[in-house]
Amino acid sequence: MLIRILFVFLIFVLIEPAYADEKDISKFEEIVVTATKTPHRLEDVPVETVLITKEEIEKSNAKNVSELLKEIPGFYIRGENVPGSSAYLSRLRGFDFDKGYGLVLINGERVSGGGMGEYGVSLNQIPIEMIEKIEIVKGPASVLYGSDAVAGVVNVITKSVPDKPTFTASLGNGSYDTSLANISYGRWIKKFGFFMSAQRETAERSRYGAGEDDFKGEYVLSNFAYKFSPETIINFGINHDDLKWEFMTEEKLRLSPSVETSFPDGSVLKIKGYWLKYNLDSFSPNYTRRFGDIIYTQLESQYTKSLGKIHLATIGVEYLHRDIDASFADEKDDITSLYLQDEMFIKPISIVLGGRLDGHSSYDTEFNPKASLLWEINDKTRFRASIGRAFKSPTIRQLYVFFKHGNWWNRPNPELNPEISWGYSAGFEQIFLEKVSASLSLFRNDVKDIVVAVETSETINNVPVRTWKNVREAFTQGAELGIKAAFLDNLSLNFGYTYLDTENKDTGKELPYNPRNTVSLGVDYEIEKWKTSFHWMTNYYSEAFRDEANTREIESYYISNAKVIKDITKNVRVSLDIDNIFESDYGEPDKDWLGTVVFGKITINI
């Protein structure tokens, strides 16, 4: 059926007259870097990439990153739109971010924490107010980023030194003690530039959704830059997060130095690194208390140079050291990596070939190749395809942590192997009419050696003990359709649809928390005379299972949100968000959900 969909779409693409002004309906002029680690216009990047711009972030109701991603075809996220949410049930193309099947980056650097304690990594790493844009690369990306980039990569790019002096302050408050206060300032002083931002958030909801909690978060982001010469710029970032819930605390400190220099032959050398200290203390009732530090130290050097008229070659080396000094483990491991990439431009075709070697101190060396193709069929039609290998290393919990988890004990297994996947995708992007564009992608992912929890014959005080083994194989496949339309100067529509088919190959059952059909519909309407805009978003999700045996089901449901933005003056803006207007129960009426939530905010920009 998926092949038929692609065939029909291709016929429609080839017979459709192309006469629109491309720049009227897209953000193709935006520059993205995540897909190839080299700058490309969005329309020209050979790898499937989605961009969420600053303007789209401002129009959204989102209080966290995961809420923004609900509008992107391929994502399924169960989490309430409040600060402090981990959105631990976050999936892309059927694979779970919190369990390490999708990679989360901040400014191209790995993050830690925010998910299920030491177990996972949450999408919600940084407040919306501090974000400039988000780049999403779908499909295997281990060729450039190593472990965990199975389903794709979400790269959150923070605000940096502005071209002109900029001061921003915002204050918001809403239901369930949801509040935020943010202040930021940045400017250049001759060759020196800086941007600093601080934010405080509160909410009375659980980080895992559907429950009361008491969250308080404080964030400080600093970016400094120095133009050593016209060819060389030095950057240094300092981020500090301090997060508290009723039964958990997290504190993070990140230092991020980098230098970039261009040479007369057009080649570019980048040297960067970061040091991340993640301190956590999890003390939930009936769980073993887990506390201590996880420290990441990473160094990377990347050199890019044109070779002849059609080749752009990139070579990079990375070193990542992880040091766990905690109640649940005292371990160290290292990963040394080498990657090569060749971007070939033979109009109308661009081809990217790459490979990466990852040498891990705890298991064998992994080699991950990838090939991507972009075919510009005409000015309004593009075809993209890719195939790649990816791997996912076992999590800290699976490798090292022995602790009580409710009604069972977790015994780690340091002998686990990485999980291996192959991913395939193909799709078209087409401009049909003036200010109307569409995209259709087909994808499949096959994963083997999946790590699962298995029962043992052991008990501790009559409580059963589980451990971890590489025993399962699975696949996900489907189609994603996106349509953007701006029929009038002040009215635009955004439609997304995902069809998803998943299977545990060992049991023949569907993977849990993966609805077969997901639909999103957004409407933006502006009244220029009143300096007011209205935004509406509805997300629909079909039935899904919530257990591996497929015996418990989540009912179909939909959620509708609305937002009104009013410019009071040139520098002052107010907004009102209304989330979950029709009080959806997320398909689980037995749980305690927020219902309708109202949130108001005032923003000052100078």
Side-chain angles (χ1 to χ4, degrees):
M1 185 183 75
L2 297 180
I3 299 300
R4 292 179 182 176
I5 294 174
L6 184 59
F7 181 71
V8 171
F9 189 84
L10 175 59
I11 293 176
F12 193 39
V13 163
L14 294 178
I15 66 173
E16 179 67 26
Y19 52 84
D21 180 359
E22 195 171 329
K23 295 181 182 179
D24 285 345
I25 55 84
S26 68
K27 44 189 182 288
F28 283 156
E29 294 301 313
E30 290 275 1
I31 302 299
V32 294
V33 298
T34 308
T36 60
K37 288 196 175 183
T38 56
H40 289 273
R41 292 192 308 163
L42 184 59
E43 67 173 335
D44 296 329
V45 62
V47 183
E48 188 176 3
T49 303
V50 179
L51 176 67
I52 301 176
T53 66
K54 178 181 177 181
E55 291 74 20
E56 290 171 328
I57 294 172
E58 291 175 349
K59 291 178 181 178
S60 169
N61 286 40
K63 313 296 184 301
N64 51 56
V65 171
S66 60
E67 195 70 14
L68 280 172
L69 299 178
K70 286 184 178 180
E71 303 178 21
I72 306 300
F75 279 95
Y76 172 62
I77 296 172
R78 281 179 68 78
E80 295 180 310
N81 186 21
V82 292
S85 167
S86 72
Y88 73 101
L89 290 174
S90 300
R91 283 164 166 73
L92 174 59
R93 293 181 170 177
F95 290 114
D96 194 341
F97 267 84
D98 188 66
K99 294 182 180 179
Y101 292 97
L103 186 59
V104 184
L105 308 174
I106 294 180
N107 299 325
E109 301 164 353
R110 286 176 174 266
V111 296
S112 182
M116 300 287 280
E118 82 297 333
Y119 180 84
V121 176
S122 170
L123 288 165
N124 299 329
Q125 293 287 330
I126 196 164
I128 293 292
E129 304 287 326
M130 296 180 175
I131 298 173
E132 180 68 23
K133 61 182 179 179
I134 300 174
E135 296 181 11
I136 302 150
V137 178
K138 295 182 180 181
S142 286
V143 66
L144 292 179
Y145 295 101
S147 174
D148 305 341
V150 174
V153 175
V154 173
N155 188 11
V156 179
I157 299 173
T158 61
K159 294 179 179 178
S160 57
V161 183
D163 293 332
K164 59 182 181 180
T166 302
F167 170 82
T168 301
S170 59
L171 183 65
N173 192 266
S175 308
Y176 297 94
D177 192 33
T178 302
S179 69
L180 69 83
N182 177 277
I183 187 169
S184 62
Y185 179 67
R187 64 171 299 176
W188 283 96
I189 304 174
K190 296 183 178 180
K191 293 185 176 183
F192 173 75
F194 68 91
F195 175 82
M196 303 185 71
S197 181
Q199 179 155 320
R200 185 181 189 274
E201 301 176 336
T202 65
E204 291 181 345
R205 293 300 286 181
S206 166
R207 68 199 307 262
Y208 303 129
E212 294 185 2
D213 207 331
D214 186 15
F215 168 72
K216 181 176 72 173
E218 296 176 345
Y219 307 80
V220 176
L221 178 149
S222 304
N223 287 320
F224 302 94
Y226 181 75
K227 293 181 179 178
F228 189 80
S229 71
E231 297 80 20
T232 302
I233 185 168
I234 300 171
N235 290 280
F236 189 78
I238 306 174
N239 294 0
H240 181 261
D241 307 337
D242 187 7
L243 314 177
K244 294 182 173 66
W245 296 266
E246 184 177 359
F247 295 112
M248 187 167 183
T249 66
E250 291 185 354
E251 184 177 8
K252 301 178 189 177
L253 175 63
R254 174 187 294 268
L255 308 178
S256 308
S258 68
V259 58
E260 179 177 337
T261 186
S262 301
F263 298 99
D265 63 357
S267 60
V268 178
L269 175 65
K270 299 178 183 178
I271 300 174
K272 66 176 185 177
Y274 72 90
W275 181 84
L276 169 65
K277 182 179 181 180
Y278 168 48
N279 175 268
L280 73 118
D281 189 352
S282 178
F283 43 93
S284 301
N286 208 29
Y287 289 68
T288 302
R289 183 184 177 193
R290 304 182 305 284
F291 58 92
D293 296 326
I294 301 174
I295 298 175
Y296 284 15
T297 304
Q298 190 259 1
L299 295 171
E300 179 180 3
S301 178
Q302 175 187 317
Y303 181 68
T304 301
K305 178 179 173 58
S306 296
L307 300 176
K309 294 182 179 180
I310 65 171
H311 295 274
L312 181 65
T314 299
I315 182 171
V317 292
E318 288 184 28
Y319 172 75
L320 175 63
H321 174 74
R322 184 172 62 176
D323 186 351
I324 306 168
D325 182 13
S327 62
F328 50 84
D330 183 9
E331 301 286 345
K332 296 179 176 63
D333 52 23
D334 303 274
I335 303 175
T336 304
S337 308
L338 169 68
Y339 60 86
L340 297 169
Q341 178 179 266
D342 183 15
E343 302 177 57
M344 293 170 279
F345 309 100
I346 311 169
K347 287 293 185 178
I349 293 176
S350 300
I351 299 173
V352 181
L353 301 176
R356 179 186 179 105
L357 282 171
D358 283 291
H360 197 288
S361 59
S362 299
Y363 47 79
D364 293 337
T365 299
E366 295 290 332
F367 175 67
N368 295 285
K370 184 173 181 178
S372 301
L373 176 144
L374 167 64
W375 176 23
E376 299 180 46
I377 298 173
N378 56 49
D379 289 343
K380 304 298 181 282
T381 308
R382 285 173 170 79
F383 171 76
R384 286 182 174 86
S386 69
I387 177 174
R389 183 185 189 270
F391 78 105
K392 172 190 164 316
S393 60
T395 66
I396 292 174
R397 177 177 296 187
Q398 293 165 348
L399 287 172
Y400 306 124
V401 184
F402 181 81
F403 80 108
K404 188 171 185 289
H405 185 283
N407 296 321
W408 54 278
W409 284 89
N410 173 86
R411 183 178 295 284
N413 181 2
E415 303 301 320
L416 291 171
N417 295 317
E419 302 176 26
I420 305 301
S421 79
W422 279 93
Y424 318 85
S425 66
F428 285 92
E429 297 173 2
Q430 170 71 19
I431 297 172
F432 292 110
L433 303 168
E434 187 178 359
K435 299 185 179 181
V436 179
S437 66
S439 63
L440 175 67
S441 297
L442 305 183
F443 64 88
R444 180 178 171 98
N445 296 283
D446 290 284
V447 187
K448 67 176 184 178
D449 290 335
I450 296 176
V451 177
V452 298
V454 295
E455 298 283 353
T456 71
S457 59
E458 182 183 2
T459 61
I460 298 178
N461 296 328
N462 295 321
V463 177
V465 177
R466 296 181 182 179
T467 189
W468 304 94
K469 289 186 178 181
N470 297 94
V471 298
R472 198 174 75 187
E473 295 186 17
F475 74 78
T476 72
Q477 62 183 2
E480 298 166 358
L481 174 66
I483 300 174
K484 296 179 182 291
F487 298 110
L488 303 173
D489 290 339
N490 61 343
L491 175 65
S492 61
L493 303 176
N494 188 351
F495 173 82
Y497 169 72
T498 302
Y499 170 81
L500 180 63
D501 177 31
T502 70
E503 183 179 310
N504 178 334
K505 291 183 179 181
D506 300 315
T507 64
K509 303 292 186 179
E510 294 183 27
L511 302 180
Y513 295 102
N514 284 306
R516 192 167 289 263
N517 299 285
T518 302
V519 180
S520 65
L521 176 63
V523 181
D524 295 332
Y525 181 66
E526 298 184 14
I527 304 177
E528 188 174 353
K529 178 181 177 181
W530 295 353
K531 297 181 180 179
T532 302
S533 60
F534 299 87
H535 310 276
W536 179 279
M537 175 57 65
T538 293
N539 295 92
Y540 166 81
Y541 308 96
S542 64
E543 298 85 355
F545 294 106
R546 52 177 172 169
D547 63 343
E548 295 280 356
N550 290 183
T551 58
R552 295 184 296 155
E553 190 174 86
I554 299 171
E555 301 171 3
S556 63
Y557 66 97
Y558 69 92
I559 299 174
S560 295
N561 303 327
K563 182 168 188 171
V564 182
I565 301 173
K566 167 71 174 177
D567 290 332
I568 304 299
T569 68
K570 178 177 142 181
N571 305 110
V572 180
R573 168 177 288 183
V574 296
S575 63
L576 178 67
D577 303 347
I578 307 175
D579 291 340
N580 199 0
I581 295 172
F582 303 110
E583 299 192 339
S584 170
D585 59 14
Y586 290 77
E588 296 183 86
D590 56 318
K591 291 189 176 182
D592 174 27
W593 299 101
L594 283 173
T596 301
V597 173
V598 179
F599 185 84
K601 186 173 73 171
I602 181 170
T603 303
I604 300 172
N605 287 295
I606 301 175

